[in-house]
Amino acid sequence: MIGLCASVPSAAAVPVDSLLYFELLPARTVGVALAASPVPRLANPHGDISIPCEACHTPDAWTPLRDDIDFDHSEQTRFAMTGKHTLAECGSCHLELRFDQPDLTADECASCHLDVHRGQLGDECQTCHNTQDFQLTNGALIHAQTSFPLTGSHLQISCETCHTDAPDGLFAPLDTDCFACHAVDYQTAASIDHVAAGFSTDCEQCHSTLAFSAAGGFNHVVVSDGFALVGTHAEIACESCHTVPGFEPIFDAADQNDCFACHQTDYERTTSIDHVAAGFPTECQQCHSVTVWENATFEHVAVSEGFALVGAHASLPCSSCHVGPDFDVPTDPAGQNDCFACHASEHEVEHPGFPTDCLQCHNVNTWEDADFEHAAVADGFALVGAHATLDCASCHVGAEFDTIFDPDGQNDCLACHAAEHQEEHPSFPTNCLECHNVNTWDDADFQHTAVSGGFALVGAHASLDCASCHIGPDFEPIFDASGQNDCFACHASEHQEEHPGFPTECLQCHTVDTWDDADFDHVAASEGFALVGAHATLACASCHVGPDFEPIFDAEGQNECFACHAPEHEEEHPAFPTDCLQCHSVNTWDDATFDHAVVTGGFALVGAHATIACSSCHIGPDFEVIFEADGQNDCFACHAPEHEEEHPAFPTDCLQCHSVDTWDDATFDHAVVTGGFALVGAHETLPCSSCHVGPDFEVIFDADNQNDCFACHAPEHQEEHPAFPTDCLQCHNVNSWEGAVFNHNTATDFDLVGAHVSLPCSSCHVGPDFDLIFEPLNQNDCFACHQAEHEDEHPSFPTNCLQCHTVDTWDGAEFDHDPFFPIYSGRHEGEWDSCQTCHNQGTFATFTCLVCHEHNREDMDDDHDEVGGYVYESNACLACHPDGDDLGGTFK
């Protein structure tokens, strides 16, 4: 004890330079001797800081410092280290050992950095500069706050290009008029002599900052009161229509469509046809287009009040229906479909007693090969199935085809087949189609669902004898089930025997195929809470306690993560919203992704917005918006300067022409300006005058929407199949009226792919109305239709069939185990023989880890004595080792 006391140095024994950092304080009591002796303690030579010495130093010597210094300058001081500051040596800022000096914050740049702008641009350096690179500034954003925002080519030049007299960054305001900088360009223009032509020095009338030489800003529509240079007009020289240099118009056209004012000589010139002698109208666009004067297309529909030259009419010479120079019509059809007015003689020769509505059987292409539509003339009675091959005399008599039977509709089979019904099963219902079909009387298919008010014989019910549930000749039911899913009504005895305390909604756990192998559905039992993502592998005790499985947390719904994960939220980002799924996923708390569209009420960062800095639209720590855009598509709110610079007279709905990717290469979007009517297919090549008239482009037809084909194509519909539905796109496409095909994908939202392509319709549909036999939720709901196969081959497997099977065949299924637990890769690759190695309980729903990983129970308990919630049980193993990895434990 005395020796220990003597080893403590006195103040006199300490070197002089060390005395600068020593002060004497009472020592901790170590026996009697130490209690009476003062022990020196080092004062901090770095100033008033709370960093422990061992964070930087080692017990061996003050220098060198530790390799892994336990100190975070950004977290433990007022000065956050970012950018190039993180690369600076400590001595660059701390010129002495007092590390509590200088006491600065990140916005006090002028304390260390010289202002090269000499106060010209304010004292807040961080407005333009950042710590990543002092020269890396957002010149466009900075300039946007001046009277001259930078656009187009101005964005691509250096500051010194214009600020030629700005030494050392002292930028002074310049004249913003284009001519002030571009006078030489005006005077030396090569493509056109601006001086000789007397062009204005207001450059923005024609040019833009995007391309000075392309004159992209010149808008002929604006300066000519609406005359757009389209078609061939866009390619001709200005002198063709204007005098130089005054640019006065040579012709006096009333508007865009007044072709005759300029092309009168072309009209009067006698070439292939004498327009004057024939009395043709002077509205040239009825036949010609703005693209080329030759190969005119005469629109018979427009000049004949709707009579289109289709089918065989298209190839007839005009003289077949018109006479004289005025093209008079000898016959006077009431409309497009009044065939009888012209073809009365053919009708009287071939079938005078038939109706004069010729299009019921004939078509506009040929008088021959008439197609009689029985459904149209019989109030809807279609000749389908076995009816299609019957002779007319089987049901009709006499010259007027009177009906032998009087059925009350397509499905009134009994009216004609009463004799067969009475002979074979007189006591059965008379709704024959419940069992029979229109193809044959034999091979009747009894539909239990239809006659029982909806109770389908599925699963184990399908193979039961009728006497299991019905008695007597009237098939009275033994049990009184309220519906398809009221299992308890029939199976109450089984329920009371096996688990009387459980709910009586048996289908929560059992299936219709077997009472065994019940599968508990957490979603159903918890009012919608599905165990997905990381929840799927948690032990029940993670969220429930006690024999009644009371929930530990009080989450109101599937997506209320905060109710359970509040501690994680408060630890990592307490100021953020508590709607965790805005950024995180159900699979892992890490790798969160920020969704701008969600937190801004729908503004998605797409196109050019995706790559711009947040500061382009937001300012300050609260990310206040610089612009007040009223929604995703309100471009004008932010881009008003560009709009006013390039085309101020245009509408402010920018997306009619521009895209979110670039301001350049604008395209006119017909769908946008018409409320959704896109020019696709055959519409894409039509001249505007096909559907629009006049300078205001008034529509000729009144279509409700993109798919209202009938509004415009009613004549074609009435001519070819008037009794068909008017939803043309069920069979036709936008490219051609010909070659119509029925598209199951479009009509039902169910794509016929794989094995579905070759199935007959009756595999999934019944009756003349094609009612569905199965009710799948969507394209991938295989289980709804293939439940029987699933239950027959692997009832305990998940019902998401596409995890293993394909749409091409049920056979050759390939199950990928690795997404659930890696056995084809990682530590378990090649360590198993068959599925039963781990799933040895007769069902794939259970597994064991302890067959291969046998350890002494006591050793395992000792190894996990500091692991919370440890249990010597396979599910607990999986909870800690979900990927089969070691995690630093005793896994072998």
Side-chain angles (χ1 to χ4, degrees):
M1 184 69 72
I2 294 174
L4 175 62
C5 182
S7 66
V8 178
S10 66
V14 178
V16 175
D17 57 345
S18 299
L19 287 177
L20 295 176
Y21 309 124
F22 276 87
E23 61 183 22
L24 296 179
L25 298 174
R28 180 183 302 171
T29 301
V30 183
V32 177
L34 285 180
S37 300
V39 177
R41 192 184 73 180
L42 282 174
N44 198 333
H46 303 307
D48 186 14
I49 62 175
S50 59
I51 312 300
C53 302
E54 58 270 19
C56 304
H57 300 282
T58 67
D60 301 324
W62 290 112
T63 58
L65 300 178
R66 289 174 48 181
D67 292 334
D68 54 340
I69 294 178
D70 187 12
F71 168 63
D72 189 331
H73 199 286
S74 299
E75 292 291 334
Q76 297 175 255
T77 74
R78 298 174 62 239
F79 194 95
M81 299 289 281
T82 59
K84 289 193 174 179
H85 288 157
T86 62
L87 305 177
E89 296 291 338
C90 301
S92 300
C93 300
H94 299 283
L95 302 180
E96 57 183 24
L97 288 178
R98 285 292 301 271
F99 288 162
D100 57 352
Q101 299 295 331
D103 184 15
L104 303 174
T105 58
D107 57 354
E108 298 180 75
C109 307
S111 299
C112 300
H113 300 280
L114 177 65
D115 181 7
V116 297
H117 306 302
R118 306 178 192 176
Q120 178 78 19
L121 303 181
D123 58 359
E124 296 184 4
C125 305
Q126 65 274 16
T127 302
C128 305
H129 300 279
N130 58 63
T131 60
Q132 303 298 325
D133 187 344
F134 193 78
Q135 301 299 325
L136 183 62
T137 60
N138 191 336
L141 181 60
I142 298 168
H143 229 282
Q145 303 176 38
T146 71
S147 61
F148 191 78
L150 297 181
T151 60
S153 298
H154 289 159
L155 291 170
Q156 304 171 18
I157 60 178
S158 66
C159 303
E160 290 75 19
T161 303
C162 297
H163 296 279
T164 56
D165 298 324
D168 300 325
L170 185 60
F171 300 142
L174 302 175
D175 187 348
T176 60
D177 182 67
C178 305
F179 191 74
C181 296
H182 296 283
V184 174
D185 300 306
Y186 173 91
Q187 296 163 355
T188 60
S191 59
I192 185 168
D193 191 338
H194 289 51
V195 178
F199 274 33
S200 169
T201 59
D202 184 2
C203 306
E204 289 183 314
Q205 286 189 9
C206 303
H207 300 280
S208 73
T209 60
L210 297 176
F212 193 82
S213 61
F218 178 69
N219 193 328
H220 192 277
V221 175
V222 175
V223 299
S224 65
D225 293 330
F227 199 102
L229 296 181
V230 294
T232 306
H233 290 157
E235 303 169 359
I236 60 176
C238 302
E239 300 89 279
S240 301
C241 302
H242 298 274
T243 60
V244 177
F247 283 90
E248 291 296 326
I250 300 173
F251 307 103
D252 186 18
D255 53 38
Q256 178 80 41
N257 298 322
D258 183 12
C259 311
F260 187 73
C262 306
H263 295 281
Q264 181 176 353
T265 55
D266 302 300
Y267 174 89
E268 295 173 347
R269 184 188 305 123
T270 302
T271 55
S272 58
I273 185 169
D274 191 336
H275 290 54
V276 178
F280 273 39
T282 58
E283 295 177 1
C284 306
Q285 287 192 351
Q286 286 191 16
C287 304
H288 300 278
S289 73
V290 294
T291 304
V292 61
W293 185 260
E294 307 298 337
N295 300 323
T297 304
F298 178 68
E299 286 291 334
H300 192 275
V301 174
V303 300
S304 64
E305 297 182 357
F307 199 100
L309 296 181
V310 293
H313 292 156
S315 58
L316 289 176
C318 301
S319 57
S320 299
C321 301
H322 299 275
V323 294
D326 295 330
F327 288 88
D328 291 330
V329 184
T331 56
D332 188 17
Q336 179 81 43
N337 298 326
D338 183 11
C339 311
F340 187 74
C342 303
H343 295 281
S345 58
E346 291 91 334
H347 180 277
E348 293 304 323
V349 169
E350 297 188 14
H351 36 58
F354 273 50
T356 59
D357 185 1
C358 306
L359 287 175
Q360 285 192 18
C361 305
H362 299 278
N363 61 64
V364 295
N365 297 315
T366 176
W367 186 263
E368 308 298 335
D369 300 325
D371 184 13
F372 177 68
E373 284 290 334
H374 190 276
V377 299
D379 293 330
F381 198 103
L383 296 181
V384 293
H387 293 156
T389 58
L390 287 178
D391 184 63
C392 300
S394 300
C395 302
H396 298 274
V397 293
E400 297 182 358
F401 287 89
D402 291 331
T403 55
I404 300 173
F405 308 104
D406 189 19
D408 186 20
Q410 179 81 42
N411 297 327
D412 183 11
C413 310
L414 188 74
C416 306
H417 296 281
E420 292 90 336
H421 180 276
Q422 292 300 322
E423 177 182 344
E424 296 188 15
H425 36 59
S427 62
F428 271 43
T430 58
N431 186 0
C432 306
L433 287 175
E434 285 188 358
C435 305
H436 300 278
N437 60 64
V438 295
N439 296 315
T440 175
W441 186 261
D442 300 323
D443 300 326
D445 182 14
F446 177 70
Q447 290 292 328
H448 189 276
T449 304
V451 299
S452 63
F455 198 103
L457 295 181
V458 293
H461 293 156
S463 58
L464 287 177
D465 184 63
C466 300
S468 300
C469 303
H470 298 275
I471 57 174
D474 295 330
F475 288 89
E476 290 295 325
I478 300 173
F479 307 104
D480 188 18
S482 59
Q484 179 80 43
N485 297 327
D486 184 11
C487 311
F488 187 74
C490 306
H491 296 281
S493 58
E494 292 89 336
H495 179 277
Q496 294 302 323
E497 177 183 343
E498 296 188 16
H499 37 59
F502 274 49
T504 59
E505 296 177 1
C506 306
L507 287 176
Q508 285 191 13
C509 304
H510 299 279
T511 70
V512 294
D513 297 300
T514 174
W515 187 261
D516 300 322
D517 299 327
D519 183 14
F520 177 69
D521 189 346
H522 191 277
V523 175
S526 62
E527 297 183 357
F529 198 101
L531 296 181
V532 293
H535 292 155
T537 57
L538 287 178
C540 300
S542 300
C543 302
H544 298 274
V545 295
D548 295 331
F549 287 88
E550 291 295 325
I552 300 173
F553 308 103
D554 188 19
E556 291 184 359
Q558 180 81 42
N559 298 326
E560 191 192 350
C561 312
F562 185 74
C564 307
H565 295 281
E568 292 88 338
H569 180 277
E570 295 303 318
E571 177 184 345
E572 296 184 25
H573 38 58
F576 272 44
T578 59
D579 185 4
C580 307
L581 288 175
Q582 285 189 15
C583 304
H584 300 278
S585 73
V586 295
N587 296 316
T588 174
W589 187 263
D590 300 321
D591 301 325
T593 56
F594 177 72
D595 192 339
H596 189 277
V598 174
V599 299
T600 58
F603 200 106
L605 295 181
V606 294
H609 291 157
T611 58
I612 61 175
C614 301
S615 58
S616 300
C617 303
H618 300 273
I619 57 175
D622 295 330
F623 287 88
E624 294 294 327
V625 290
I626 300 173
F627 310 102
E628 289 293 336
D630 186 18
Q632 179 81 43
N633 298 325
D634 184 11
C635 311
F636 186 74
C638 308
H639 296 282
E642 292 88 343
H643 180 277
E644 295 303 320
E645 176 182 308
E646 296 184 27
H647 39 57
F650 272 42
T652 59
D653 185 4
C654 307
L655 287 176
Q656 285 190 17
C657 303
H658 299 279
S659 74
V660 295
D661 297 314
T662 174
W663 187 262
D664 299 326
D665 301 324
T667 56
F668 177 71
D669 192 342
H670 189 277
V672 174
V673 299
T674 59
F677 200 104
L679 296 181
V680 293
H683 293 156
E684 190 173 5
T685 58
L686 286 177
C688 301
S689 58
S690 299
C691 302
H692 300 273
V693 294
D696 294 332
F697 286 88
E698 295 293 330
V699 291
I700 299 173
F701 310 102
D702 190 16
D704 289 336
N705 53 51
Q706 177 79 44
N707 297 325
D708 184 10
C709 311
F710 186 74
C712 307
H713 296 282
E716 292 89 340
H717 180 278
Q718 295 302 324
E719 177 180 301
E720 296 184 26
H721 39 58
F724 273 43
T726 58
D727 184 4
C728 307
L729 288 176
Q730 286 191 18
C731 303
H732 299 277
N733 62 63
V734 294
N735 296 316
S736 171
W737 186 262
E738 307 297 331
V741 293
F742 177 71
N743 192 331
H744 191 278
N745 307 348
T746 303
T748 64
D749 291 332
F750 195 102
D751 295 352
L752 293 182
V753 294
H756 293 155
V757 173
S758 57
L759 287 179
C761 301
S762 58
S763 299
C764 302
H765 299 274
V766 294
D769 295 331
F770 286 88
D771 290 329
L772 283 170
I773 301 174
F774 312 101
E775 289 292 339
L777 296 176
N778 53 46
Q779 180 78 41
N780 296 325
D781 184 11
C782 312
F783 185 73
C785 307
H786 296 283
Q787 182 177 353
E789 293 88 335
H790 179 277
E791 298 303 327
D792 180 47
E793 296 184 25
H794 37 57
S796 63
F797 271 42
T799 58
N800 185 359
C801 306
L802 289 175
Q803 285 188 7
C804 306
H805 299 278
T806 70
V807 294
D808 297 312
T809 175
W810 186 263
D811 298 323
E814 182 175 348
F815 178 70
D816 188 358
H817 198 285
D818 274 13
F820 303 94
F821 186 88
I823 64 172
Y824 305 114
S825 61
R827 299 288 299 276
H828 287 79
E829 181 181 7
E831 297 297 327
W832 52 279
D833 297 319
S834 67
C835 301
Q836 286 70 28
T837 301
C838 300
H839 301 280
N840 58 7
Q841 301 299 315
T843 172
F844 293 106
T846 62
F847 63 91
T848 178
C849 302
L850 305 179
V851 170
C852 299
H853 302 281
E854 292 181 294
H855 297 285
N856 182 278
R857 175 64 180 272
E858 294 180 358
D859 291 341
M860 290 297 289
D861 292 346
D862 291 341
D863 291 340
H864 291 76
D865 59 353
E866 294 182 2
V867 178
Y870 160 72
V871 181
Y872 186 70
E873 188 263 335
S874 294
N875 284 314
C877 299
L878 181 64
C880 291
H881 305 274
D883 297 322
D885 57 344
D886 193 310
L887 294 181
T890 58
F891 177 79
K892 71 174 184 178

